Every structure is written in C-alpha cells, then in structure tokens.
Amino acid sequence: MEKEWNSWFPLMAVMMMMCLHVNVINGEDPYRFYTWNVTYGDIYPLGVKQQGILINGQFPGPTIECVTNDNLIINVFNSLDEPFLISWNGVEQRRNSWQDGVYGTNCPIPSGSNFTYVLQVKDQIGSFYYFPSLAFHKAAGGFGSINIASRPRIPVPFPPPAGEFSVLTGDWFKQNHSDLKAILDGGRDLPFPDGLLINGRGSNGYTFTLDQGKTYRFRISNVGLTTSVNFRIQGHKMMVVEVEGTHTVQNTYDSLDIHLGQSYSVLLTADQPAHDYYIVVSTRFTSQILTATSTLRYSNSAGSVSGPPPGGPTTEIDWSLNQARSLRRNLSASGPRPNPQGSYHYGLINTTRTIRLANSAPIINGKQRYVINSVSFIPADTPLKLADHFNIPGVFSLGSIPDSPTGGGAYLQTSVMAADFRAYTEVIFENLEDSVQSYHIDGHHFFVVGMGGGEWTPASRLTYNLRDTISRSTVQVYSKSWSALYMPLDNVGMWNIRSQNWARQYLGQQFYLRVYSPANSWRDELPIPSNAIRCGRAANR
C-alpha cells in the first residue's frame, strides 16, 4: 500500500499544481502577447528636436486592444540608459498589485534588461492608457492607449460604431524630460507648457478620416503633465457613452472637459456636409490659453477646413462643474458582466470610515514641495510592496499620513495609510488652492458622489448623488472646492493615490494605501511573481 501511494503521490501533486495554476491565471481566458523595446529617439512634436521615449520606434506607443478578462503578457526590454517602469492607468490589477508598475510596488527594470508584466483586465471594460512612471519619463513620451472591449455575449448600450479612434492629448514642453526633472529637483515649479499635442503631434499634424453618414467612437485621454483640456469638433456634437469603464447616460455635448489622467468615450456621427473640420483641444483654467488642432476629414471631402477653429470655455469653473454633475451612470446597461450596472446600490451601503485629504504647496527645506495632509511623499530605498511582503523593517510605517488635515507644518515622509480589505470608505479630496487638482487611485474604482465649492462639512452629504453617479479611477477637484467619493476597498495590495499633475506627484503629492487581508490567501491576493525584480533591501530575498 505504501509503495502504491508513493507511486501515485508525484502524479497527484502535479495534478494539484495544474489545478491551482489554472485557477490562478484563469486559463480559459485568451492570452495576448506583446514584446516592447523601449528606446530613446529624436521626436519633433512642436517642431523642435527632442529626446523622446519610443516603444518599438513609436511615439506615442502602440495601442493595446483587448477584451474583458484577457490576459496580457507584455515583455518590456529597457534599452534606455537608466531604469524604467510602465504603469497602467485605470487597469485595476485585481488581486495583483505586483504588476502595477509604480515604484511603491515594483523595482525598476534595469538598463539593458527586461521584465515581463503578466496582468489581466479582469471584469473591466472601457478606455484607459499606460505611461512611464519613473524619473519624469512621462514628459518624454512612452505612453499609449489601452482599449478594453466587452465580451461578444455582453450587450453594449449603443450600436457597433463603424470604427474607433484613440486620441491621446495633453500639454507638452519643448525641454527634454531630464531638464524638466532638474528644474523640479532644484526646488522650483515647472514653467508654463509650450503647447498641446494630439497623438504626439502639434497643430495640423494629425488627420482622422470618416465616411459620411457613419458613426465612430473616439476614445480620448488627457495624458498631459499639468493642465486640464477642453475637446471639441467643429460643427459636430459628441455623445458621451463611457467614462473609464462606466457606461453613461448618453448625453450630447458641444465640448468636453477632460482633466489630467481622465479618459472618455464619445460617439460622433459624420452627418455634416462632406469636407474637412477642425478638431480642437485647448487648455482650461489657465491665464494663457494654448490651442492645438487636428483635422476631421470626410472620405469624400470636397474642401479643406474653413473659418476659425471653434472657441471653447476658458476659466469658467461653474460650466465645468455642471458638466461633471451631468455625467450619470446608465442603470440599464450591462458592465463587464451581464448584470445591470445599477444593481450595485452603492448609496445604500454604510461607509465604515471617512478619509479627508487636503493638498497644499509649501516650501520645505528651501524647496518647492507638494503635500497631502501636511505630508510630502519621498520614495523609500525599497519598493513598499516588497518590504511589506518580506517583513523588512524600517522602510515604511503604517499611519505615517493622517486620515484628516492636521493644519500642522509640512514635512517629508514615506507616507503609507492602513486600510482593511472589504471596508467601504468615504474619501473627500479638499482643495483650498487656486488651481484645479486631479487625483487617481490605483487598483480601485470609486463612485463620485459629490462635488461642491468651499469647505466640505458633514452637511455636504445632503447633496450627494446616491443613485446613479459614475464610477471611475480619476477625479478632478476644482479650486476652493471638494470632491467626495464612496470607494469599496475590494482589492488587496499596496496602491498609489496620487496627483495626476506630474510635477506635483513628483514633488510629493501622493501616498500609498495598504489594503490588508489577514487571511493571507490566494483567494484575496496572488503570490509574488516568480520573475519579480528584487532591489534595495529586498535584493537578496
């Protein structure tokens, strides 16, 4: 009997491991494989030669087209002369903060080396993007679109469009990213941007061609560094149908404000006379207005663009706030799964904690810094996720950022906030500065339940939308205003909460949220990847 058991045991062990492997990676879902080579190259987005970051020779980088629950295997070769990381803005990385691609979770890819990201777009649809997260590389390029389509059997609340276009827009500087980084390292803020880009090109550098009478989907992301933008198309209206993974009530707009880090999908019907039209992007809430144009061309066009580009809003906050409040969840539409999005009654769940986060811009040790609740984040010598996993002391301490503004003096700290898995949290971003802020939370979506002017108080809850607000991963906070969120902490891991203004993020306006489950189970969080790079104090672990 013992001999028979010994002969069967290796086979049983292999079978068990195979079952576990299938369960972990969801082997029934398709795989998409990518190989990216990241290099420097000459680019001329504003007519001036610059050192750009290219992916497979492209600026912007290649678009990732995938479907809900697809597994993405992305092998990134770092051919730069410095470490590099890519992060995936809006991809939730379910149970898998190991793949998030920010320094708090991942060691950088060394120069001349490679790293393979293994991630799944689990239970997600919508429009997102990727970008380089280290060393102010974002100012050199290295970004691209991520488009997640619904599975064929899941109904979408609009007819299939005739085609899709990805639009990556945002502000741009003529200086190389290393020079901009040096400005920030020297304790100064960035100058005003030099221009705006549409898909890596300045004005009149890009053309979108449509067939007359057909409807197209435009997936638009603000990948800029410092400014909100307004997007509009001459002579055409846009129907918003999706915001960062949420199908929306299909309202029609003449123009659309897109704040730093945000993504939208709009439908546009080519229902005008057959010639060319301006696509216009302009800065919002800036004293100097920057504008860039591209061309919308009908395939049977009989003439070029005519007249001036259509004007848009400039510094009007109420206009933008009213537009933001008009965005509503389509309660009759399916999400990534075949159940109505409105079946999750987010407004009927009792929150278990309130976190208030206030930004400011102090001088610390003679240098410009940016803070949240008086704390300006400084990176540790070891990624926080690795330090947490290997129980390495002295890298960070939980509670190193308070839950509410203190009013005390600003200071530097590797700030990490503790949070419990499956808690349901109210988060209020408070902005007493004159500039518009934009915040992103990795690994999660949240319900934007309210926005208002002045100081937030408990009475502000009376204005919350607890029925049909959108959920997303990036929210704007207007000047002298607040934005309130309800957020389910349903994803274990170490997650970055950051300003999407990249100068502010770089100079400390960020922290990490450690969502913890005591179960220590693969059901809650996947194990450390076998290819995880070790660095800092985790180098020999």
Side-chain angles (χ1 to χ4, degrees), residues 187-189 360-371 410-411:
R188 296 169 290 148
D189 199 0
S360 56
I363 302 296
I364 302 178
N365 300 328
K367 293 186 176 183
Q368 178 67 68
R369 298 290 299 187
Y370 297 100
V371 306
Y411 58 96

Side-chain angles (χ1 to χ4, degrees), residues 483-494:
S483 293
L485 326 171
Y486 279 2
M487 185 170 74
L489 298 179
D490 56 1
N491 203 6
V492 174
M494 187 75 71

Side-chain angles (χ1 to χ4, degrees), residues 87-97 100 124 440-446 472-473 487-498 515:
S87 190
W88 321 91
N89 199 78
V91 176
E92 291 182 8
Q93 311 288 2
R94 304 300 303 173
R95 302 186 300 143
N96 199 15
S97 66
D100 203 31
Q124 282 191 269
H440 179 83
I441 301 179
D442 277 353
H444 294 79
H445 66 275
F446 48 72
R472 63 189 316 168
S473 59
M487 185 170 74
L489 298 179
D490 56 1
N491 203 6
V492 174
M494 187 75 71
W495 303 107
N496 190 223
I497 298 181
R498 62 175 177 267
V515 180

Side-chain angles (χ1 to χ4, degrees), residues 72 74 85-88 91 93-102 105-106 115-120 385 495 526-532:
L72 309 181
I74 306 171
L85 271 178
I86 288 182
S87 190
W88 321 91
V91 176
Q93 311 288 2
R94 304 300 303 173
R95 302 186 300 143
N96 199 15
S97 66
W98 300 107
Q99 306 294 334
D100 203 31
V102 291
T105 60
N106 294 97
F115 176 75
T116 301
Y117 291 89
V118 180
L119 55 98
Q120 187 182 32
K385 182 62 181 171
W495 303 107
L526 297 181
I528 183 172
S530 59
N531 68 333

Side-chain angles (χ1 to χ4, degrees), residues 289-337:
I289 306 301
L290 298 175
T291 300
T293 61
S294 287
T295 301
L296 182 78
R297 174 165 295 160
Y298 282 44
S299 58
N300 58 339
S301 175
S304 59
V305 291
S306 60
T314 53
T315 60
E316 306 90 339
I317 287 180
D318 286 347
W319 185 97
S320 187
L321 177 61
N322 288 334
Q323 184 178 85
R325 287 172 172 165
S326 73
L327 297 171
R328 291 288 187 267
R329 175 181 296 264
N330 188 336
L331 297 180
S332 63
S334 294
R337 295 176 297 276

Side-chain angles (χ1 to χ4, degrees), residues 71-88:
N71 296 283
L72 309 181
I73 313 299
I74 306 171
N75 191 5
V76 179
F77 286 84
N78 177 16
S79 297
L80 307 182
D81 57 3
E82 56 186 322
F84 184 77
L85 271 178
I86 288 182
S87 190
W88 321 91

Side-chain angles (χ1 to χ4, degrees), residues 158-290:
F158 50 86
E164 292 192 358
F165 299 99
S166 294
V167 183
L168 298 172
T169 187
D171 57 0
W172 192 260
F173 294 81
K174 292 180 179 178
Q175 292 169 274
N176 287 337
H177 78 278
S178 54
D179 296 329
L180 297 174
K181 178 177 176 293
I183 292 173
L184 297 173
D185 290 340
R188 296 169 290 148
D189 199 0
L190 295 180
F192 191 71
D194 295 300
L196 297 176
L197 302 185
I198 299 174
N199 286 353
R201 302 176 187 179
S203 279
N204 306 316
Y206 205 91
T207 299
F208 301 85
T209 302
L210 293 72
D211 291 336
Q212 192 173 29
K214 294 182 179 180
T215 298
Y216 295 81
R217 182 175 185 168
F218 284 73
R219 298 177 183 261
I220 314 159
S221 298
N222 183 346
V223 298
L225 299 174
T226 63
T227 55
S228 302
V229 299
N230 181 267
F231 182 90
R232 52 198 182 272
I233 300 177
Q234 182 185 27
H236 294 74
K237 294 185 179 297
M238 300 175 292
M239 178 186 292
V240 174
V241 294
E242 176 256 328
V243 176
E244 294 167 26
T246 299
H247 287 132
T248 63
V249 172
Q250 295 174 6
N251 295 327
T252 299
Y253 301 90
D254 294 319
S255 69
L256 189 64
D257 275 356
I258 306 174
H259 303 277
L260 287 165
Q262 293 185 339
S263 299
Y264 288 81
S265 281
V266 303
L267 295 182
L268 179 142
T269 300
D271 56 3
Q272 298 300 305
H275 59 84
D276 296 352
Y277 297 87
Y278 284 112
I279 295 177
V280 186
V281 179
S282 59
T283 55
R284 288 286 268 127
F285 319 114
T286 56
S287 56
Q288 177 185 347
I289 306 301
L290 298 175

Side-chain angles (χ1 to χ4, degrees), residues 262-477:
Q262 293 185 339
S263 299
Y264 288 81
S265 281
V266 303
L267 295 182
L268 179 142
T269 300
D271 56 3
Q272 298 300 305
H275 59 84
D276 296 352
Y277 297 87
Y278 284 112
I279 295 177
V280 186
V281 179
S282 59
T283 55
R284 288 286 268 127
F285 319 114
T286 56
S287 56
Q288 177 185 347
I289 306 301
L290 298 175
T291 300
T293 61
S294 287
T295 301
L296 182 78
R297 174 165 295 160
Y298 282 44
S299 58
N300 58 339
S301 175
S304 59
V305 291
S306 60
T314 53
T315 60
E316 306 90 339
I317 287 180
D318 286 347
W319 185 97
S320 187
L321 177 61
N322 288 334
Q323 184 178 85
R325 287 172 172 165
S326 73
L327 297 171
R328 291 288 187 267
R329 175 181 296 264
N330 188 336
L331 297 180
S332 63
S334 294
R337 295 176 297 276
N339 58 298
Q341 295 189 85
S343 65
Y344 183 22
H345 299 293
Y346 68 91
L348 301 179
I349 303 171
N350 292 325
T351 57
T352 55
R353 180 181 180 185
T354 295
I355 300 171
R356 294 171 51 208
L357 303 171
N359 53 266
S360 56
I363 302 296
I364 302 178
N365 300 328
K367 293 186 176 183
Q368 178 67 68
R369 298 290 299 187
Y370 297 100
V371 306
I372 298 175
N373 288 358
S374 300
V375 186
S376 185
F377 182 86
I378 51 173
D381 60 7
T382 304
L384 309 179
K385 182 62 181 171
L386 287 179
D388 196 29
H389 177 76
F390 291 117
N391 296 313
I392 302 172
V395 176
F396 70 91
S397 60
L398 294 174
S400 45
I401 180 171
D403 276 21
S404 300
T406 65
Y411 58 96
L412 305 174
Q413 180 67 264
T414 303
S415 40
V416 180
M417 184 179 290
D420 295 328
F421 181 43
R422 295 201 176 101
Y424 193 63
T425 305
E426 178 186 40
V427 180
I428 299 103
F429 288 107
E430 302 179 34
N431 176 24
L432 298 181
E433 297 184 66
D434 291 329
S435 57
V436 175
Q437 303 295 311
S438 186
Y439 284 98
H440 179 83
I441 301 179
D442 277 353
H444 294 79
H445 66 275
F446 48 72
F447 301 92
V448 185
V449 293
M451 294 180 177
E455 183 178 353
W456 181 90
T457 69
S460 303
R461 295 184 177 119
L462 297 175
T463 68
Y464 285 3
N465 174 2
L466 299 182
R467 182 176 184 271
D468 66 348
T469 191
I470 56 171
S471 60
R472 63 189 316 168
S473 59
T474 302
V475 65
Q476 71 272 25
V477 192

